[in-house]
Amino acid sequence: MLKAIDARGESVSRGQTETLDEKHQRLLEAFVLRARRVEEHSLAADWDALVELTRMSINVRVYRGEVRILYELPPEEVVESAAARIRPILLEQEDCFHMKALSALGYICRAVPQDAAWIRAARAEWRTRVSPSTRNESGYWVMVADTFTGEERDLDAHGLAMAWIYGDVVHHDPERRKEGDTFGLRDRFRAAVPLVAWAMVGTIELLNFVRALNTAGMLKLRQEVFDEQVTLKSTTWEERAEMYYAPVGTQPPSLASSPMPEGWLPLSKASDLSVFRHRIAGQLLNTERAPCITYLPSPEEVEAARTTAGGWKRNKLAAWGVPWPPPKGWKDELAECWKAAHPDGPPVPPPTPAPTDFAQDTLDFG
């Protein structure tokens, strides 16, 4: 029997009938996961600034009779990453497509006039801003003329934005490139920024609407889609692990829970790391940067070392084998290591030696 994996990672037999409620839940959960990733993009950190980017405003300066147009936009790389996050929500074939989420909500909220009206308005605004049907709906258009050849071209803002998104960024679509090349990268980017920004705003507003409906009990979405990690806050981390290595061609374990087959050796401090050296890639495994524990402190000593600002000095953490910046849970891990090293409790301190100038007489009262 052929099988497919649904949006929740669950196996669904092809040909198996999916109820309408199940379909709506699957689409809404797919939307929530992607929309939360959009919500956590850096452009959305300043909501007012993001909304301002949707306005397609033009700053005009007139100085000594000369008119100048000023554009102040975010770095292209930032907008490019936002476009990558929002793109699946723009595509009809994706489960997280914005209009699919709105259709699902429209069906669920059909008996609630106020919610149904909001959904209809959101659908109309999304179509106008993201997929305008006329040049006037697109907001503006650019006309250029080649004074040498006499050739003239014009393209609306939506066409320019699509040329940047699909010709410059997420694809290298030759038709989009050809359509927008005449106008230059700056005009393509200038048109794309309001589109990307507005798609982000519309997505986040719809996400918050879904959250409100779910909290009110009108939706029965799984809590995991609201809690699951969708972006990485830090790309530097350390985790405890067991590593094994073997010569190329050695039989690997059949399952993650299976014991290591013969030929696999555990990586330890005594392992010869030269076996991980590649003639092209260099040293593939390097432990030299790993912090070396010079002293294992007790939980009380850790707290005593806290600075007046509430943190710990970098060199102190390094002496304890804690990397910088300190990962989440480092204090608990140190405490566990200390307890494992002292199963019988804190060591008894050695007796204090007597001063060198101290003399003791032995008296006999017998």
Side-chain angles (χ1 to χ4, degrees):
M1 178 182 293
L2 294 176
K3 291 188 175 182
I5 302 298
D6 72 358
R8 294 164 292 179
E10 298 173 354
S11 179
V12 178
S13 299
R14 289 183 182 173
Q16 177 180 330
T17 303
E18 183 182 38
T19 67
L20 197 56
D21 287 341
E22 289 172 340
K23 177 183 177 181
H24 291 330
Q25 176 159 334
R26 173 172 57 83
L27 297 178
L28 286 172
E29 288 183 350
F31 172 80
V32 168
L33 285 172
R34 172 53 66 159
R36 286 181 54 226
R37 186 167 173 81
V38 172
E39 181 184 44
E40 294 191 19
H41 191 274
S42 60
L43 274 182
D46 187 335
W47 182 255
D48 292 337
L50 179 62
V51 171
E52 186 62 32
L53 289 176
T54 70
R55 303 190 195 284
M56 295 189 291
S57 59
I58 298 176
N59 298 317
V60 178
R61 291 180 176 179
V62 180
Y63 181 70
R64 292 183 178 180
E66 183 180 63
V67 177
R68 288 180 171 270
I69 299 176
L70 174 66
Y71 300 111
E72 294 180 303
L73 302 175
E76 186 185 23
E77 188 176 18
V78 174
V79 181
E80 183 175 342
S81 67
R85 290 194 180 186
I86 199 70
R87 180 174 173 266
I89 289 178
L90 303 176
L91 298 178
E92 294 182 15
Q93 65 269 31
E94 298 287 350
D95 281 353
C96 60
F97 178 45
H98 194 279
M99 284 299 202
K100 288 182 180 179
L102 283 173
S103 296
L105 290 177
Y107 176 82
I108 295 169
C109 299
R110 62 191 183 281
V112 185
Q114 184 176 354
D115 292 339
W118 187 93
I119 294 167
R120 286 195 299 271
R123 183 184 291 114
E125 189 172 16
W126 180 270
R127 185 195 61 77
T128 300
R129 292 298 300 262
V130 176
S131 184
S133 56
T134 67
R135 196 158 66 170
N136 287 337
E137 284 185 347
S138 183
Y140 71 90
W141 58 93
V142 177
M143 295 182 288
V144 296
D146 189 323
T147 56
F148 181 74
T149 64
E151 181 184 8
E152 297 195 24
R153 296 282 303 278
D154 67 272
L155 190 62
D156 61 51
H158 185 260
L160 287 167
M162 291 296 104
W164 181 81
I165 293 174
Y166 292 105
D168 295 302
V169 178
V170 298
H171 292 306
H172 194 82
D173 187 324
E175 292 301 318
R176 295 286 191 186
R177 293 281 303 182
K178 182 179 179 181
E179 184 181 41
D181 271 349
T182 304
F183 303 88
L185 177 60
R186 285 193 296 182
D187 272 341
R188 297 195 296 271
F189 177 66
R190 163 71 184 90
V193 169
L195 174 62
V196 172
W198 194 90
M200 292 180 68
V201 168
T203 294
I204 296 169
E205 288 180 341
L206 181 56
L207 172 62
N208 288 328
F209 187 67
V210 171
R211 283 184 174 129
L213 292 178
N214 200 63
T215 300
M218 293 188 64
L219 303 177
K220 303 296 182 182
L221 304 187
R222 294 175 301 125
Q223 188 59 39
E224 298 95 286
V225 300
F226 296 100
D227 298 336
E228 178 183 324
Q229 184 181 14
V230 292
T231 59
L232 291 173
K233 301 298 184 183
S234 172
T235 53
T236 301
W237 67 86
E238 185 177 51
E239 56 190 8
R240 186 178 297 171
E242 291 183 1
M243 295 184 67
Y244 294 82
Y245 64 97
V248 175
T250 304
Q251 179 67 31
S254 56
L255 297 171
S257 58
S258 300
M260 299 303 295
E262 184 179 354
W264 288 86
L265 299 174
L267 184 70
S268 67
K269 190 174 182 179
S271 299
D272 179 9
L273 298 185
S274 65
V275 299
F276 299 103
R277 187 164 188 82
H278 192 277
R279 61 186 181 85
I280 296 177
Q283 188 67 35
L284 302 178
L285 185 63
N286 190 347
T287 63
E288 291 179 359
R289 292 181 58 194
C292 177
I293 299 178
T294 58
Y295 176 70
L296 185 60
S298 67
E300 292 75 19
E301 288 174 303
V302 171
E303 286 303 317
R306 192 191 292 265
T307 66
T308 54
W312 286 264
K313 292 184 178 180
R314 186 170 184 167
N315 60 346
K316 178 65 74 174
L317 292 174
W320 297 340
V322 178
W324 186 267
K328 183 179 179 181
W330 66 270
K331 287 198 297 179
D332 293 337
E333 187 169 346
L334 271 185
E336 289 177 10
C337 291
W338 189 87
K339 290 176 182 177
H342 303 88
D344 299 325
V348 178
T352 304
T356 55
D357 58 351
F358 176 77
Q360 179 175 336
D361 291 332
T362 301
L363 302 178
D364 186 0
F365 293 96

